Structure formats: structure tokens, C-alpha cells
């Protein structure tokens, strides 16, 4: 049985004051939830958020990391640095990293391998552009992204990977894939995993949907059979919205 995971991706938002308010309200609002709740905040807030979530069932994630252990990589953060702050998850291959910072599948693969080596669970993001969807290339794109990112990830390690299907045209745009569309692609990702790792392992891996998830559409999306949770951007910055998504 896969436990639902709702992850908030704060992106480049938030400060000490807003974090305190948000986390305090969140802790109160999800007291009775069985859902695994995760906050992926900016690096500068990890320490603060780590302290604020102590004693709660909220987990801590980062939004990126470098694939090398250490060295002359100005501006980068290593897996060990995240581990030191009790970070359990890291978002990798987000479409904003791929599009704005030109991260390739091969870079994403190196990061996934390093995160797994260091016992940080990667949330691997994949998704097609609007143009690719319109040209009916969604499945080809998703298959390539998933397989390239998971090169050399073995059967023991894949269990610790979470995959997030985030159609690029749905991120921050207010447009959501319909629950049926989202479920179809998520189901397709499970098929890819089944072919690579076998049915038993593929049934254990959580696959999330992300892209304009909000209280109004969360219930329908999250009740779809193949969708095991959500990666939530904008709505995770508003305590009430995030709480109602978690309590879907
Ligand atoms: P959004 O972002 O919910 O604001 O669309 C999702 C994401 O980028 O992870």
C-alpha cells in the first residue's frame, strides 16, 4: 500500500517570519492526517524549518543539490550539506531547473544517483511541454526523461525514489491536466517502471502529480487510482490551501 505524499515546493519564496506562521498553522491543521507531508523550502530556510517542524509529522526537503561531494562549485550545495540539516527528500529535475538552468537528463541522473548514495530520497520531476502534448509526443518525452534519469538506479534503490509528473504547461499557469489525463500519464510511468523493475517493485513506487494543484481540484486528482500524492507549488504557500489539499 503506497502512502500518499503531499509535498510543498516553496520555490524561491518565503522568509523567517512567513515560515514561522505557515508552519505553525500547518502543524495545527494536519494533526489528524495520515498523509506524509513534506516541505521543500529554499536552502536558507532549511535550518529554521527543521526547528519549526520538530515533533510534528512534517518532513523536510530541498529543491536541488549538486552531484559532487564537494569542491570548487561556487553557489552549489552538496548532499552531505543537506544531510547535516536532516533533509530527507530533494526535488530533482524540476522543469524550472531544466528550462531556466539548462539541466539535462544526464545531469539529473547524476544528481539522482548521488542523492540515493547519500540516503536522500529524490523526487524526480518529469513532464512535457504544451507543444509536445499537442504533437502527441507526451509518452515519448516522459519515457525518455524517466529512463535517462534512472540509468544505473538498481532495484534496491528505486524504492526510495518518488516520481512527480508535472506537465510544464500546467505549472503555475492555473491550467491543470484533467484528473483523467494526469492519471493516464502517471499510469504510463508505472508501466515504464514495471518494464524496468518488475511489477512488485513498480507497485511500491509513489508517483505524484504536480501543476496548479489547489483545494478545488485536489480531491478529484488525488482520488485517482494511480496518483499517490501531489507536488504543490503556489498553493503550498497559503496555510489554509495547503491544509485542505493535505486533508483531501
Ligand atoms: P504550481 O507548481 O502548483 O504552482 O503549479 C508546481 C510545481 O512547480 O512543483
Amino acid at each position: 500500500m503506497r502512502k500518499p505524499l503531499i509535498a510543498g515546493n516553496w520555490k524561491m519564496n518565503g522568509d523567517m517570519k512567513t515560515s514561522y506562521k505557515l508552519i505553525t498553522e500547518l502543524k495545527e491543521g494536519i494533526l489528524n492526517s495520515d498523509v506524509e507531508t513534506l516541505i521543500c523550502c529554499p536552502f536558507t530556510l532549511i535550518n529554521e524549518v527543521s526547528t519549526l517542524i520538530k515533533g510534528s509529522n512534517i518532513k523536510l526537503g530541498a529543491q536541488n543539490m549538486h552531484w559532487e561531494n564537494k569542491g570548487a562549485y561556487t553557489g552549489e550545495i552538496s548532499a552531505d550539506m543537506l544531510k547535516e540539516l536532516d533533509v530527507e527528500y530533494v526535488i530533482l529535475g524540476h522543469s524550472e531547473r531544466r528550462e531556466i538552468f539548462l539541466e539535462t537528463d544526464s545531469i539529473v541522473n547524476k544528481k539522482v544517483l548521488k542523492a540515493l548514495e547519500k540516503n536522500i530520497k529524490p523526487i524526480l520531476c518529469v513532464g512535457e511541454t504544451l507543444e509536445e502534448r499537442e504533437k502527441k509526443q507526451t509518452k515519448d518525452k516522459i519515457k525518455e526523461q524517466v529512463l535517462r534519469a534512472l540509468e544505473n538506479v538498481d532495484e534496491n534503490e528505486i524504492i526510495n525514489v518518488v516520481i512527480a509528473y508535472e506537465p510544464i504547461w500546467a505549472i503555475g499557469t492555473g491550467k491543470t491536466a484533467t484528473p483523467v489525463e494526469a492519471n493516464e500519464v502517471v499510469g504510463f510511468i508505472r508501466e515504464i517502471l514495471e518494464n524496468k523493475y518488475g511489477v512488485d517493485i513498480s507497485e511500491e513506487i509513489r508517483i505524484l502529480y504536480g501543476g496548479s494543484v489547489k483545494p478545488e481540484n485536489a480531491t478529484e486528482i488525488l482520488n485517482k487510482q494511480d496518483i499517490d500524492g501531489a507536488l504543490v507549488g503556489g498553493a503550498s504557500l497559503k496555510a489554509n490551501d495547503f491544509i485542505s489539499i493535505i486533508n483531501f
Side-chain angles (χ1 to χ4, degrees):
M1 190 61 189
R2 301 184 297 265
K3 186 173 181 164
L5 170 65
I6 308 284
N9 174 10
W10 288 6
K11 307 193 180 184
M12 198 172 71
N13 295 294
D15 53 33
M16 301 278 187
K17 207 167 136 200
T18 51
S19 305
Y20 177 81
K21 189 167 179 293
L22 196 55
I23 302 283
T24 309
E25 289 174 18
L26 187 59
K27 282 201 287 197
E28 192 119 320
I30 62 166
L31 276 179
N32 300 319
S33 170
D34 290 333
V35 166
E36 189 172 346
T37 301
L38 172 68
I39 297 288
C40 300
C41 60
F43 293 130
T44 51
L45 293 174
I46 288 178
N47 210 11
E48 173 77 2
V49 170
S50 172
T51 309
L52 290 170
I53 61 176
K54 283 229 160 68
S56 78
N57 48 4
I58 303 171
K59 296 186 170 167
L60 186 59
Q63 300 171 17
N64 185 27
M65 53 161 253
H66 197 266
W67 64 87
E68 291 290 354
N69 289 335
K70 61 178 176 175
Y73 300 100
T74 302
E76 292 292 332
I77 300 282
S78 73
D80 287 331
M81 293 170 182
L82 297 179
K83 275 307 267 191
E84 204 172 25
L85 296 173
D86 298 327
V87 166
E88 231 180 286
Y89 286 87
V90 62
I91 298 174
L92 295 176
H94 190 280
S95 62
E96 286 150 17
R97 302 272 345 148
R98 293 179 190 260
E99 295 215 313
I100 308 169
F101 303 100
L102 308 180
E103 283 190 14
T104 60
D105 286 325
S106 132
I107 289 178
V108 176
N109 176 240
K110 287 196 246 183
K111 292 183 174 189
V112 168
L113 291 170
K114 182 53 71 177
L116 289 168
E117 180 196 320
K118 299 288 181 177
N119 288 321
I120 300 177
K121 298 182 187 119
I123 301 180
L124 165 66
C125 300
V126 295
E128 82 286 7
T129 62
L130 185 56
E131 199 189 340
E132 286 160 343
R133 175 156 281 261
E134 283 169 352
K135 289 189 180 156
K136 309 225 175 305
Q137 294 167 346
T138 300
K139 288 190 173 174
D140 291 344
K141 174 71 175 288
I142 298 296
K143 188 170 179 186
E144 181 167 358
Q145 284 186 326
V146 170
L147 291 179
R148 299 232 20 225
L150 296 180
E151 262 170 42
N152 299 317
V153 173
D154 69 27
E155 290 177 4
N156 300 321
E157 293 171 319
I158 187 65
I159 302 299
N160 293 316
V161 177
V162 174
I163 298 182
Y165 168 54
E166 297 207 304
I168 296 173
W169 48 273
I171 295 177
T173 56
K175 287 186 200 156
T176 344
T178 64
V180 173
E181 283 170 333
N183 195 56
E184 196 192 332
V185 180
V186 169
F188 175 67
I189 295 172
R190 204 171 302 286
E191 259 174 61
I192 301 170
L193 297 172
E194 188 181 324
N195 288 332
K196 187 168 159 78
Y197 297 103
V199 63
D200 291 351
I201 290 178
S202 75
E203 284 298 322
E204 280 186 55
I205 300 166
R206 287 181 297 182
I207 309 176
L208 318 181
Y209 169 77
S212 297
V213 175
K214 26 185 193 288
E216 300 77 48
N217 57 25
T219 312
E220 210 188 336
I221 294 171
L222 293 167
N223 277 323
K224 283 280 172 227
Q225 192 193 340
D226 275 304
I227 301 178
D228 304 315
L231 182 53
V232 185
S236 72
L237 295 166
K238 297 180 202 139
N240 285 341
D241 285 2
F242 198 42
I243 291 166
S244 61
I245 294 170
I246 293 162
N247 293 330
F248 73 94

